[in-house]
Amino acid sequence: MVEQLTVELGERSYPIVFFGGADAGVFVLEKIRQTGRSVTALADSKVWDLHFPKNDDLLCLKIEGGEASKSITCFDNACEFLATNRIARDGGLIAIGGGVVGDLAGFVAASYLRGIDFYQVPTTLLAMVDSSVGGKTGINIKAGKNLVGAFWQPQVVYICTEFLKTLPPEEFSAGMAEVIKYGMLYDAKLFDQLEALEHDLTWDHPELSAVVRRCCEIKAEIVKADEKETASSGGRALLNLGHTFAHAIENVAGYGTYLHGEAVAIGLVLAAKLSVRLVEAGRSGFAVSDEDVIRCHALIERYRLPTDLRISLHRVAGDLAAPKLSIEALLDAMRRDKKVRSGKLRFVAMEKIGNAVTVDDIPEGWIRDIWSEAGAE
Amino acid sequence: MVEQLTVELGERSYPIVFFGGADAGVFVLEKIRQTGRSVTALADSKVWDLHFPKNDDLLCLKIEGGEASKSITCFDNACEFLATNRIARDGGLIAIGGGVVGDLAGFVAASYLRGIDFYQVPTTLLAMVDSSVGGKTGINIKAGKNLVGAFWQPQVVYICTEFLKTLPPEEFSAGMAEVIKYGMLYDAKLFDQLEALEHDLTWDHPELSAVVRRCCEIKAEIVKADEKETASSGGRALLNLGHTFAHAIENVAGYGTYLHGEAVAIGLVLAAKLSVRLVEAGRSGFAVSDEDVIRCHALIERYRLPTDLRISLHRVAGDLAAPKLSIEALLDAMRRDKKVRSGKLRFVAMEKIGNAVTVDDIPEGWIRDIWSEAGAE
């Protein structure tokens, strides 16, 4: 099975190739080599060892998974690796791994020799449905997450759910947070479909491929309309539903305390609560009910994701408290967020399930309340 | 006097504003503030102290001049500086200084929050005629110079030769290497004009402004035709006349041993010699004579620039030897150059003075000979 979807971006358009079957690693290397490019890889070391042939002579820099690898140091090392191996402007770089590897490798590809070709081979659910598509690349600096990077579109994204076979369950769940996000912000039918599944999605669930593909379609549509997130309202920023909260959580708790998808799960619940406050305040267009919040909450919990700051079912024992986060520190981190414009905090809220908008004028008191209800102090 | 020249690049077009008079620092800050942008500066510390008002409250990160500042560490520091000062996507960054500051600040502006607006205020002759125009930004890594960066066009370039009043004489000369380069590669009239000057150009020479402006015009024309240096022959790569040699010299001698302009001066002489070899080998189109090489040599020496690896008139006593450079190391550095395509060394050579072309098939033996004649071992 090989199917294809095009991300339409004029001269920067590219295909997402969906393929199936075992030996995904062998298949993808063969495909990329058919382009005739001299290629090099940055790969998640675990994925590389599990899925790629030992005897392949592809030049590959192995990267440890985890946010710590999205650093200036790893960026520097990767550029030195390409340079000492004499990769020229007509060479290409393959990212093999999750969001961390894709974001890092994308920024390396954008910057090395002022830009070389780039191929995405996402091997986590989160990277397949979100970070590998759309061209956002970047690294973290001390002051915050993804604060340094580039828009750099790949030449091709290769997606095979076979890679998910070896993904740890908490990583699969983390990806589900982004899947649920697409339902909440853009596609009520997808949300309904996820709710109606008799069995939870797993790497070998018969509907997984279609769900992944639908998420990619949504992302492609949104990115096509607003590639560089310059729309004055709505647009690509909608993909950040829950993320203003999530980035603050990750920043204050310390990267790695929560998985990105776990922080997004919490952020989605908080964004739903924020949406209800907009209804209560009589804002026109907003029609989210308490019932809708419960539905979001339930779907997120179903994948053992946290819904407030206190509990992360996969990662701590049920009765173990998460680190106490300070409301002031969280607000401070939000003010440093990239989405801040002219000093105003910007949020994404749901008018209803399947329809989100950007909102610039949320009273700070609401945000304090929401953080407090979530367990911050 | 305020004149303007447009760099035509479609939606990325921008003006180069030429202005005169004292208090250049005050003038330029006023101009940029009129845009209504909230701006921050990265400035050469010496230039900042000499030319900018002490009581101005512009947020400014001072940078030490010299190639050592084009590092990953300085890049990281500058990004942290912007983030901790909460510069948002609608903020702007002003580069005030020479090529080092402009290249560094440009890559910071390209990468911080995946790109913010950028203003160039070049304060060296080299930056005015070359590095501030055209959108090439970058930093050095261990493996080589400018190997990491981005194409990122400024919003405006502000040029005032008043800033050159305080430029050390060797830096003025280094800029003259790039000025002479434009004559050699594109404009025989400019070359003739430089030869015919009764007095050498200095910061207050009546013809300097017109010469600077002519260089900017040439650069704008070439960049317009091939913004990202993707032309299969000729195009923007022509601006690298002498630079394949120059980058190798800087890399092997150690950055800072020669000023960039000094290395370019040597490179220009070697490129002229290479051009004569092409004539001798009967390559069609090439018509450079030994006389032409002498003319180039003389014009370069007139500005006290080195014409081989042995002598740098400004920086070492006439009888002091420069560091001995190894031919193998120089060739090795050339092979790592960004201009390498499909493993082949790429050079720019003159068909005649005022007309350059790219050449891909130079025998390695010629390059060895040329390095040897220049004093490498």
Side-chain angles (χ1 to χ4, degrees):
Chain A
M1 185 274 292
V2 179
E3 288 178 28
Q4 200 161 310
L5 170 71
T6 302
V7 184
E8 304 276 5
L9 290 168
E11 60 182 14
R12 288 182 300 285
S13 296
Y14 55 93
I16 307 175
V17 175
F18 299 88
F19 65 99
D23 276 338
V26 175
F27 176 91
V28 77
L29 291 188
E30 203 174 281
K31 274 281 169 200
I32 293 176
R33 280 178 174 144
Q34 281 166 12
T35 66
R37 275 263 181 269
S38 138
V39 285
T40 309
L42 253 65
D44 179 289
S45 55
K46 279 187 200 144
V47 172
W48 181 257
D49 292 343
L50 286 168
H51 292 276
F52 285 79
K54 298 286 160 292
N55 58 351
D56 196 280
D57 61 356
L58 180 75
L59 199 61
C60 176
L61 179 65
K62 292 189 196 181
I63 304 282
E64 294 305 311
E67 286 289 324
S69 290
K70 274 177 69 171
S71 66
I72 286 269
T73 306
C74 289
F75 172 77
D76 188 21
N77 289 345
C79 291
E80 295 283 1
F81 175 78
L82 295 176
T84 51
N85 283 293
R86 307 213 173 145
I87 303 304
R89 276 186 185 157
D90 54 4
L93 183 63
I94 314 174
I96 299 170
V100 165
V101 171
D103 285 4
L104 170 68
F107 186 45
V108 170
S111 306
Y112 176 67
L113 307 185
R114 298 196 188 94
I116 61 173
D117 281 354
F118 171 48
Y119 301 85
Q120 282 270 23
V121 184
T123 63
T124 65
L125 181 57
L126 190 142
M128 288 178 188
V129 299
D130 184 29
S131 59
S132 70
V133 175
K136 276 194 182 179
T137 73
I139 57 176
N140 307 325
I141 58 174
K142 280 192 213 82
K145 209 180 144 162
N146 294 324
L147 291 185
V148 170
F151 286 96
W152 196 250
Q153 301 293 346
Q155 300 294 304
V156 188
V157 181
Y158 292 95
I159 294 184
C160 178
T161 51
E162 181 77 17
F163 286 120
L164 304 179
K165 191 174 178 175
T166 55
L167 189 69
E170 69 272 20
E171 294 270 0
F172 189 92
S173 288
M176 282 307 298
E178 300 281 357
V179 171
I180 294 165
K181 180 191 81 173
Y182 286 109
M184 286 171 66
L185 78 90
Y186 198 81
D187 190 346
K189 268 193 194 165
L190 173 63
F191 192 92
D192 295 345
Q193 181 190 355
L194 295 171
E195 272 186 326
L197 288 173
E198 191 183 344
H199 299 287
D200 293 354
L201 287 175
T202 50
W203 78 272
D204 54 353
H205 191 291
E207 292 198 40
L208 182 69
S209 288
V211 167
V212 167
R213 191 179 161 134
R214 177 63 192 141
C215 292
C216 289
E217 273 171 13
I218 295 171
K219 179 129 191 195
E221 282 171 32
I222 291 175
V223 168
K224 175 188 174 182
D226 182 25
E227 183 185 0
K228 299 202 173 163
E229 203 167 321
T230 48
S232 60
S233 68
R236 186 162 183 164
L238 298 180
L239 293 169
N240 282 314
L241 181 68
H243 281 62
T244 307
F245 294 104
H247 290 156
I249 293 169
E250 292 181 270
N251 185 244
V252 175
Y255 298 119
T257 304
Y258 296 85
L259 291 177
H260 175 62
E262 290 171 346
V264 169
I266 301 167
L268 290 174
V269 172
L270 305 192
K273 288 183 175 173
L274 175 64
S275 308
V276 171
R277 283 186 178 248
L278 285 158
V279 179
E280 288 167 356
R283 291 288 180 95
S284 77
F286 288 90
V288 175
S289 63
D290 287 341
E291 178 64 29
D292 290 332
V293 176
I294 292 169
R295 288 177 68 197
C296 294
H297 199 285
L299 194 51
I300 289 166
E301 263 195 335
R302 182 168 168 181
Y303 287 93
R304 308 189 74 207
L305 289 161
T307 55
D308 63 32
L309 292 170
R310 281 166 287 213
I311 304 163
S312 175
L313 287 174
H314 276 296
R315 289 155 67 79
V316 298
D319 56 351
L320 184 65
K324 294 290 181 197
L325 305 186
S326 134
I327 294 176
E328 287 312 316
L330 290 162
L331 282 169
D332 210 47
M334 286 175 134
R335 289 189 201 104
R336 282 197 307 267
D337 198 274
K338 287 194 297 305
K339 288 175 288 299
V340 169
R341 298 205 180 183
S342 314
K344 277 190 192 167
L345 289 181
R346 156 166 279 216
F347 290 90
V348 185
M350 288 189 293
E351 291 189 329
K352 56 183 182 182
I353 288 177
N355 193 16
V357 293
T358 48
V359 192
D360 288 319
D361 55 348
I362 302 286
E364 197 178 284
W366 294 10
I367 305 303
R368 285 180 191 275
D369 291 350
I370 287 170
W371 280 127
S372 173
E373 287 164 26
E377 290 180 343
Chain B
M1 184 275 290
V2 178
E3 287 178 28
Q4 199 162 310
L5 171 71
T6 302
V7 184
E8 304 276 3
L9 290 168
E11 60 181 15
R12 289 183 299 286
S13 295
Y14 55 93
I16 308 175
V17 175
F18 299 87
F19 65 99
D23 276 338
V26 176
F27 177 90
V28 77
L29 291 188
E30 203 174 281
K31 273 282 169 200
I32 294 175
R33 281 180 174 141
Q34 282 167 12
T35 66
R37 276 261 180 272
S38 139
V39 285
T40 309
L42 253 66
D44 180 290
S45 55
K46 277 188 203 145
V47 172
W48 181 258
D49 293 343
L50 285 168
H51 291 277
F52 285 79
K54 297 288 160 290
N55 57 350
D56 195 279
D57 61 356
L58 181 77
L59 200 61
C60 176
L61 179 65
K62 293 189 195 181
I63 304 281
E64 293 305 309
E67 286 289 323
S69 291
K70 274 178 70 171
S71 66
I72 286 270
T73 306
C74 288
F75 172 75
D76 188 19
N77 290 345
C79 291
E80 295 283 2
F81 175 78
L82 294 176
T84 51
N85 285 292
R86 308 217 171 141
I87 302 305
R89 276 186 186 157
D90 54 3
L93 183 63
I94 314 174
I96 299 169
V100 164
V101 171
D103 286 3
L104 170 67
F107 186 44
V108 170
S111 306
Y112 176 67
L113 308 185
R114 298 196 189 95
I116 61 172
D117 281 354
F118 172 48
Y119 300 85
Q120 283 269 23
V121 183
T123 62
T124 66
L125 180 59
L126 189 141
M128 287 178 190
V129 299
D130 185 29
S131 58
S132 71
V133 175
K136 278 195 181 176
T137 72
I139 55 176
N140 307 325
I141 58 175
K142 279 193 213 82
K145 209 181 147 164
N146 293 323
L147 291 184
V148 170
F151 286 96
W152 196 249
Q153 300 293 346
Q155 300 295 304
V156 187
V157 181
Y158 292 95
I159 294 183
C160 177
T161 50
E162 182 77 17
F163 286 120
L164 304 179
K165 190 174 178 175
T166 55
L167 189 70
E170 68 272 20
E171 295 271 0
F172 190 92
S173 288
M176 282 307 299
E178 299 283 357
V179 171
I180 293 164
K181 181 192 78 173
Y182 286 109
M184 286 170 67
L185 77 93
Y186 197 82
D187 189 346
K189 266 193 197 168
L190 173 62
F191 193 93
D192 294 345
Q193 181 191 354
L194 294 171
E195 272 187 325
L197 288 172
E198 191 182 345
H199 299 288
D200 294 354
L201 285 175
T202 50
W203 78 274
D204 54 353
H205 192 290
E207 291 199 38
L208 182 68
S209 289
V211 167
V212 167
R213 192 180 161 132
R214 177 63 192 142
C215 292
C216 289
E217 274 171 11
I218 295 170
K219 179 130 191 197
E221 281 170 32
I222 291 175
V223 168
K224 176 187 173 181
D226 182 25
E227 184 185 359
K228 299 203 171 161
E229 202 166 324
T230 48
S232 60
S233 68
R236 187 163 181 162
L238 298 180
L239 293 170
N240 282 315
L241 181 68
H243 282 62
T244 307
F245 294 104
H247 289 157
I249 293 168
E250 291 181 270
N251 186 246
V252 176
Y255 298 120
T257 304
Y258 296 84
L259 291 176
H260 176 61
E262 290 170 346
V264 169
I266 300 166
L268 290 174
V269 173
L270 304 192
K273 287 183 176 172
L274 174 64
S275 308
V276 171
R277 282 184 180 248
L278 286 158
V279 179
E280 288 166 356
R283 293 288 180 94
S284 76
F286 288 90
V288 175
S289 62
D290 287 338
E291 176 65 26
D292 290 330
V293 176
I294 292 168
R295 288 177 66 198
C296 295
H297 199 286
L299 194 49
I300 288 165
E301 264 195 334
R302 181 168 167 181
Y303 287 92
R304 308 190 75 208
L305 288 161
T307 54
D308 63 34
L309 293 169
R310 283 166 287 212
I311 303 164
S312 175
L313 287 174
H314 276 295
R315 290 155 66 80
V316 300
D319 57 350
L320 184 66
K324 293 291 179 196
L325 305 186
S326 132
I327 293 175
E328 288 313 316
L330 289 162
L331 282 169
D332 210 49
M334 286 175 134
R335 289 188 202 104
R336 281 196 309 268
D337 198 275
K338 288 192 299 305
K339 288 174 291 298
V340 168
R341 298 204 180 185
S342 315
K344 276 188 191 167
L345 289 182
R346 158 166 278 215
F347 290 89
V348 184
M350 287 188 293
E351 292 189 329
K352 57 183 181 181
I353 288 177
N355 193 18
V357 294
T358 49
V359 192
D360 288 319
D361 56 349
I362 301 286
E364 196 178 286
W366 293 11
I367 305 302
R368 286 179 191 275
D369 291 351
I370 287 171
W371 280 127
S372 171
E373 287 164 26
E377 288 181 345

